[in-house]
Amino acid sequence: MHAHDHHEHDHHEHGGHDLTRAAQTTLEKSGEQWTAMRERVFEALAGFDKPASAYDIAEAVSKAEGRRVAANSVYRILDLFVGSNLARRVESANAYMANTHPDCLHDCIFLVCDTCGQTTHLDDDVITRSVRSAAKGAGFSPERPVIEVRGKCSDCD
């Protein structure tokens, strides 16, 4: 799959039930099962408006299920989601966000507000292509570039 410049194609931003179905389709295409537990974890993740930790998600799923769900099992599912493009990991915050267009593959640029924690995700393949080619130029094979910009969002500025 080759990357396009971000303004060259429309990606459909999924939300709510539509997002869950898009995630299910993407996961099943990768040969994985879409289980009730995976659905619960995905819906909990998609319900947060900021990046959520595995503990936040375990807490939300525990409440919804009415039973204790261990953060460890949530971690495993989140790793699977990141590997399948259903979720993105904000490395510096050790937190996760649902990918609203799991059917498109992009490298991520996150703008992380140090004050309120709000995180904006950008797709700019022009920038990430430069990062990949700089890595290749240094003899490095870039698997998954993640670019994070720390600062203040417009609400906190």
Side-chain angles (χ1 to χ4, degrees):
M1 186 190 262
H2 70 261
H4 298 285
D5 291 346
H6 67 106
H7 55 270
E8 275 178 17
H9 78 292
D10 297 328
H11 39 248
H12 179 59
E13 294 268 332
H14 298 281
H17 184 71
D18 190 27
L19 175 58
T20 303
R21 294 290 70 89
Q24 177 177 359
T25 303
T26 302
L27 192 67
E28 287 173 346
K29 270 191 202 145
S30 78
E32 290 287 345
Q33 297 274 304
W34 184 256
T35 63
M37 184 62 178
R38 288 173 180 179
E39 181 158 331
R40 290 250 167 38
V41 169
F42 187 81
E43 285 179 338
L45 174 64
F48 284 93
D49 60 352
K50 288 183 190 160
S53 72
Y55 291 97
D56 297 333
I57 294 161
E59 203 57 41
V61 173
S62 296
K63 276 201 188 93
E65 291 273 282
R67 68 184 174 94
R68 220 37 235 131
V69 174
N72 273 355
S73 51
V74 170
Y75 260 122
R76 280 195 297 277
I77 293 171
L78 289 169
D79 281 345
L80 172 69
F81 286 174
V82 169
S84 309
N85 201 39
L86 304 191
R88 300 189 154 120
R89 189 176 135 91
V90 182
E91 304 288 340
S92 62
N94 192 13
Y96 300 82
M97 296 173 80
N99 179 0
T100 52
H101 39 92
D103 30 11
C104 301
L105 203 51
H106 290 280
D107 294 329
C108 305
I109 302 171
F110 291 116
L111 309 179
V112 184
C113 179
D114 286 325
T115 306
C116 72
Q118 193 57 55
T119 299
T120 306
H121 167 255
L122 297 178
D123 286 324
D124 188 328
D125 293 326
V126 176
I127 292 171
T128 55
R129 201 175 297 129
S130 299
V131 170
R132 280 179 174 275
S133 76
K136 285 181 184 142
F140 188 78
S141 184
E143 296 296 322
R144 195 175 54 96
V146 177
I147 300 167
E148 296 184 21
V149 181
R150 307 293 302 221
K152 282 199 168 97
C153 70
S154 55
D155 294 340
C156 295
D157 222 358

